Amino acid sequence: MTPYQPTEFAVTVRAADARTLRVAVCGDLDFETTDAFALAMYDTLHVHAEEHGPTLRDLHLDWAELNAFDSSGLSALLGLRRRAHAAGISLHLHHQPDFLTRMLQVTGIADYLTQRAHPDGRASAPSAATGQRESAPVS
């Protein structure tokens, strides 16, 4: 068995325009790197807002190079979701490794993270009766 080799943690903006950001997360998102992740995402969103104003609507996170993810990473991702939705930005998760998908399913937050945000900071919530999305305030 090959011993685990940690990869240097990095958050990289891969593409950006006024309405969309594409960001790749590389390495381990865990207790040791969650502060770096939160700061990198805050800085990325801040720089985008300074350059384009409050036009960002979609934040795409690419997890293809993620090696590990723990509850601290989950907390950081939830914090990013709260900040993004308050600004009317929807999160999109791409190329999730199986361990990340499993954690999001076990904790029951996969749908919560990727709910569509409204420009005024409200989220779309599924209607219990129809399964269609309706406007609902974010709490």
Side-chain angles (χ1 to χ4, degrees):
M1 179 178 228
T2 304
Y4 173 72
Q5 297 290 326
T7 304
E8 186 174 337
F9 177 77
V11 175
T12 307
V13 175
R14 296 267 168 95
D17 61 40
R19 296 184 58 82
T20 306
L21 264 174
R22 296 186 184 282
V23 176
V25 182
C26 176
D28 300 350
L29 184 51
D30 59 14
F31 178 76
E32 293 181 10
T33 60
T34 54
D35 288 343
F37 173 78
L39 182 59
M41 293 310 304
Y42 174 82
D43 287 347
T44 298
L45 293 173
H46 180 74
V47 167
H48 187 277
E50 282 189 343
E51 185 174 326
H52 298 285
T55 60
L56 184 62
R57 292 295 164 251
D58 295 291
L59 175 57
H60 296 266
L61 299 171
D62 186 332
W63 301 101
E65 298 179 48
L66 186 71
N67 293 334
F69 188 86
D70 70 5
S71 60
S72 298
L74 187 63
S75 179
L77 190 54
L78 286 166
L80 174 61
R81 191 270 187 195
R82 282 189 297 274
R83 178 182 303 251
H85 268 241
I89 303 165
S90 297
L91 295 182
H92 305 273
L93 309 179
H94 302 283
H95 305 114
Q96 297 168 187
D98 289 341
F99 59 85
L100 177 56
T101 300
R102 198 167 28 259
M103 181 174 285
L104 298 179
Q105 289 173 342
V106 166
T107 57
I109 64 165
D111 290 339
Y112 173 76
L113 286 173
T114 58
Q115 269 183 329
R116 192 80 185 144
H118 289 277
D120 62 2
R122 296 180 301 143
S124 294
S127 168
T130 64
Q132 296 178 352
R133 297 202 174 272
E134 300 176 345
S135 296
V138 175
S139 52

